[in-house]
Amino acid sequence: MTLDTRSKAEVVNIVLAKYQNDSSMLVGILQDIQAELNYLPREALEMTAEVLSIPLSRVYSVATFFKAFSLKPRGRHGIHVCMGTACHVRGAEKVLDRFQTELCACAGETTPDMKFTLETVNCVGACALGPVVVVDGEYEGQVTAEKVKSIIEGCK
């Protein structure tokens, strides 16, 4: 059964069963739900709180504390532009501007067709390769504004 045919409730139930409804595993549970649904919808948070018998406020506080969690739907491809000092001095701002222009989405937004989510990060720890862009977990080094279009086309 694929995600397309699975309901949010089925996904949450499968993940909760995997963790044997152990509330001490809340972070892992939310990570797995997000991995399946690509974000944490309100219904999933409510179901999680109910099944684990913990307040919704606790689930919500964990879901909003970590930047890795998203309460808004994300695109199929995640693009993270490093804005750390090394990347910044090597032109990361121009790279980000080009991504925003090509995708018609600002940093922190998802394209209307749900293909891409564009985000900035403070540092990815690959300063020698700057500017660095991480696309679906794969690092692209020495990115220039001219390379942006080919990076996007490589995701389609």
Side-chain angles (χ1 to χ4, degrees):
M1 183 178 283
T2 66
L3 178 59
D4 293 337
T5 58
R6 258 193 233 155
S7 73
K8 293 173 186 170
E10 287 174 314
V11 168
V12 172
N13 284 329
I14 290 169
V15 171
L16 289 170
K18 175 183 168 188
Y19 287 94
Q20 300 173 340
N21 298 337
D22 182 354
S23 64
S24 70
M25 299 302 294
L26 182 57
V27 173
I29 290 168
L30 295 179
Q31 285 175 321
D32 284 5
I33 292 171
Q34 180 166 289
E36 288 292 325
L37 301 176
N38 222 12
Y39 78 112
L40 296 172
R42 180 180 177 86
E43 309 86 51
L45 298 179
E46 290 171 344
M47 277 189 66
T48 301
E50 184 179 327
V51 171
L52 296 180
S53 300
I54 58 176
L56 177 59
S57 60
R58 180 172 162 203
V59 176
Y60 185 78
S61 68
V62 170
T64 57
F65 179 79
F66 296 103
K67 188 177 179 181
F69 292 131
S70 177
L71 301 180
K72 294 190 287 188
R74 289 185 168 186
R76 194 171 61 236
H77 301 286
I79 298 174
H80 298 85
V81 179
C82 181
M83 301 303 288
T85 303
C87 290
H88 178 77
V89 298
R90 293 179 179 150
E93 194 71 36
K94 289 180 183 175
V95 171
L96 177 62
D97 286 346
R98 184 64 61 91
F99 270 112
Q100 291 179 136
T101 300
E102 293 290 331
L103 297 174
C104 297
C106 294
E109 293 182 349
T110 298
T111 57
D113 61 4
M114 301 301 294
K115 285 187 178 175
F116 299 97
T117 295
L118 178 63
E119 296 181 320
T120 60
V121 293
N122 292 331
C123 184
V124 296
C127 301
L129 300 174
V132 174
V133 174
V134 182
V135 180
D136 296 335
E138 297 291 323
Y139 285 59
E140 298 270 346
Q142 299 175 334
V143 176
T144 62
E146 291 74 28
K147 290 182 179 177
V148 166
K149 196 168 188 170
S150 67
I151 291 171
I152 293 169
E153 289 172 353
C155 293
K156 293 182 179 177

